[in-house]
Amino acid sequence: MPLNPDDLWYEKNKKAKFFLLLLWPLSLLFGTVSALRRFFYRHGMIKSQSIKAAVIIVGGITVGGSGKTPLSIALLKKLKAMGYTPGLISRGYKGKSDIYPLLVSKDTPAELCGDEPLLIKRSVLDEAMVAVDPNRVRGAKALCEKGCDVILSDDGMQHYSLRRDAEIVVLDGQRLLGNGFLLPAGPLREGKWRLKTCDMVVCNGGNATPTGAHRMDLKLIYPQPLNKNTAPLAPKSKVWVLAGIGNPNRVRDSVKSLGFEIAGMLTPGDHGKVKLDDLTLATSTHPVVMTAKDAVKYSKCDVSGLYVLEVKAALSQDFDDAFRSLVKNSLQQLAKRVKLDN
């Protein structure tokens, strides 16, 4: 039976720990390569490129979902309310377009732009622009040309090619840093030290918020029908949970907390998609509740019995004050760069 990384990374299986001995050399190699890459960028051996807009990273130092998407949606709306013209650049993971940069609309197929950028665009609509491009610098420049003055770089923590003015790191409050090891022995892309170099740390849920981190909780919205041929979901129903995200158990627990009985899980993997036949078979027995990120991939599906569990980021007042200060400082950094360039 293959080893599930969660068993090792988050210590769910004590017997799996002996694999650390096998994976540790690979983690050491990964850490060395990452350190050299940071060194080259820091000392100008590889150039980070600036754009004529403030760039704020919304990323993480662990693999898997941590809540970056709902936070990005909330930040774009805050930026619009503050009077800015915000945009978001994403690599568009698993999206395959023939043309880049791709400006995302609410009708862009998820197959072209990826599920997360489409979800973000449908959530903010005219409040912010969203672009996808494997070349983040090129995509960010396209947003600048469209008038954006503050750009969020989604999951851009390790993409040093685009110069940043501020960094926001998001942690899963339940998983935190796992066993503390770098990939592949652990879930870390960069070491714990990286938290001390960023501008803000946001902790999504959990029983305790690390010192210095800002708390974010996800407010659950009662599951709504995905399409018109589906009746409202009865309370306390027995349901399947579809979760193509990095931490599907979190979705299961959220659905359960709303009073539903869990029939089982459909887990196609992070950003994955369940086959239509399997989805139809599942709904023949019980309704299927899925995340909003999954729902964008099935929005044109005519299968009845599908429901969307949406979440909304709830942030404290101290976060608002800190974020306003972060944006102000970012724009000041931008002004200095423009002055130097001229």
Side-chain angles (χ1 to χ4, degrees):
M1 182 177 179
L3 175 67
N4 185 338
D6 278 11
D7 291 339
L8 178 63
W9 293 350
Y10 301 103
E11 301 181 350
K12 296 179 180 178
N13 184 345
K14 301 296 183 181
K15 294 181 180 180
K17 282 194 171 183
F18 79 92
F19 282 95
L20 285 173
L21 296 175
L22 300 176
L23 296 175
W24 172 248
L26 296 177
S27 292
L28 183 61
L29 176 61
F30 178 86
T32 301
V33 172
S34 296
L36 286 173
R37 183 168 172 270
R38 287 191 299 269
F39 178 86
F40 291 153
Y41 272 108
R42 188 181 305 118
H43 294 278
M45 299 176 192
I46 305 177
K47 296 290 185 181
S48 293
Q49 296 186 52
S50 298
I51 61 171
K52 295 181 179 179
V55 175
I56 300 174
I57 302 295
V58 180
I61 63 171
T62 62
V63 298
S66 58
K68 295 184 291 293
T69 298
L71 177 61
S72 293
I73 292 169
L75 296 185
L76 289 171
K77 292 184 176 183
K78 286 180 183 294
L79 287 167
K80 182 64 175 180
M82 291 162 63
Y84 299 109
T85 303
L88 179 137
I89 179 63
S90 169
R91 63 178 287 197
Y93 183 65
K94 286 200 173 183
K96 295 181 179 180
S97 175
D98 294 327
I99 300 174
Y100 290 110
L102 174 64
L103 291 176
V104 182
S105 74
K106 64 182 180 64
D107 298 317
T108 302
E111 291 78 13
L112 295 184
C113 65
D115 49 21
E116 288 177 349
L118 181 56
L119 170 60
I120 292 170
K121 182 58 183 176
R122 288 184 177 179
S123 300
V124 299
L125 295 178
D126 294 334
E127 293 178 281
M129 284 177 268
V130 176
V132 299
D133 197 327
N135 183 330
R136 287 178 186 258
V137 175
R138 182 176 61 191
K141 286 181 177 179
L143 289 173
C144 283
E145 292 172 358
K146 292 292 183 179
C148 293
D149 49 15
V150 181
I151 294 176
L152 303 184
S153 181
D154 174 50
D155 201 17
M157 198 72 180
Q158 289 76 38
H159 292 267
Y160 292 106
S161 59
L162 178 61
R163 184 168 178 175
R164 69 279 309 269
D165 299 292
E167 296 175 330
I168 300 175
V169 171
V170 188
L171 294 177
D172 184 325
Q174 296 177 349
R175 292 180 161 191
L176 296 176
L177 302 180
N179 61 16
F181 291 106
L182 293 172
L183 289 165
L188 299 187
R189 298 170 175 174
E190 295 182 285
K192 181 180 179 180
W193 61 270
R194 193 68 171 82
L195 298 177
K196 297 179 181 179
T197 68
C198 64
D199 298 274
M200 293 178 67
V201 178
V202 175
C203 186
N204 175 21
N207 295 323
T209 302
T211 302
H214 296 271
R215 177 82 179 196
M216 176 177 79
D217 290 294
L218 297 181
K219 179 182 177 181
L220 303 177
I221 300 173
Y222 190 87
Q224 297 297 309
L226 178 64
N227 46 42
K228 295 180 180 179
N229 62 352
T230 297
L233 183 60
K236 299 182 179 181
S237 301
K238 189 172 186 179
V239 300
W240 294 97
V241 175
L242 195 167
I245 67 171
N247 186 2
N249 290 338
R250 188 182 195 119
V251 182
R252 177 201 62 200
D253 294 341
S254 296
V255 174
K256 191 174 181 178
S257 72
L258 293 174
F260 296 102
E261 182 182 351
I262 308 301
M265 298 284 292
L266 302 173
T267 54
D270 198 13
H271 301 276
K273 185 176 181 179
V274 174
K275 293 180 180 180
L276 185 59
D277 289 344
D278 294 335
L279 197 59
T280 303
L281 179 61
T283 56
S284 68
T285 57
H286 302 290
V288 173
V289 176
M290 65 182 71
T291 71
K293 188 175 85 169
D294 288 297
V296 298
K297 291 174 286 196
Y298 306 97
S299 58
K300 295 183 179 180
C301 173
D302 60 359
V303 176
S304 61
L306 303 179
Y307 298 84
V308 185
L309 175 68
E310 295 187 0
V311 297
K312 182 179 180 181
L315 296 154
S316 58
Q317 180 62 43
D318 68 313
F319 175 88
D320 284 352
D321 295 339
F323 182 65
R324 287 179 179 274
S325 177
L326 180 145
V327 175
K328 180 180 178 180
N329 291 339
S330 298
L331 290 169
Q332 289 174 347
Q333 292 294 325
L334 170 63
K336 290 179 182 178
R337 290 206 315 272
V338 172
K339 185 176 181 180
L340 288 174
D341 291 342
N342 294 333

